Amino acid sequence: MQLASLIKRVQKRYPGSSIVQIYDEYHVMHNDESLNDIFLLPGFETEYEAWLQISQFVKMEQSINRTHPLKQMISEQKKRESQERIANRIHG
């Protein structure tokens, strides 16, 4: 995968992310916080490897959030509220 597309994927979820070299390791930073630390990853030897690993974790995070049971419960609740609001508008 091209480096530019990896960066784009990460920055879509974490805008303004950038790569920083700390000693001999590369870390992806967002709002002065290392995404490596958030995802419990070590520093990486190359810039490409850092973006690649972080982008894979971002993809996994999005999949988990998409299928999380709590999200389904919240969307059902919003659906009911919307139906009630429409019914009140029609009958009110």
Side-chain angles (χ1 to χ4, degrees):
M1 192 170 232
Q2 295 285 335
L3 181 61
S5 62
L6 296 173
I7 294 170
K8 185 177 178 180
R9 177 184 286 163
V10 173
Q11 288 184 341
K12 186 174 183 180
R13 179 81 170 112
Y14 296 99
S17 298
S18 60
I19 194 90
V20 174
Q21 187 174 8
I22 301 172
Y23 301 109
D24 292 336
E25 299 177 333
Y26 287 94
H27 293 259
V28 178
M29 303 294 286
H30 173 69
N31 291 340
D32 297 328
E33 190 171 8
S34 173
L35 294 179
N36 295 51
D37 294 342
I38 291 171
F39 295 122
L40 303 175
L41 297 171
F44 297 101
E45 292 181 12
T46 65
E47 184 176 343
Y48 178 81
E49 187 180 359
W51 284 113
L52 176 65
Q53 294 299 321
I54 295 295
S55 75
Q56 289 176 346
F57 271 83
V58 165
K59 189 175 179 180
M60 193 178 342
E61 178 187 39
Q62 289 172 332
S63 293
I64 290 169
N65 288 340
R66 185 179 305 119
T67 59
H68 194 280
L70 188 59
K71 181 178 180 190
Q72 293 171 355
M73 290 171 51
I74 290 170
S75 90
E76 282 294 318
Q77 181 182 2
K78 285 183 179 184
K79 182 179 171 182
R80 268 185 264 128
E81 289 173 0
S82 183
Q83 288 173 344
E84 289 173 8
R85 183 175 47 85
I86 292 169
N88 288 339
R89 194 181 306 159
I90 293 171
H91 299 297

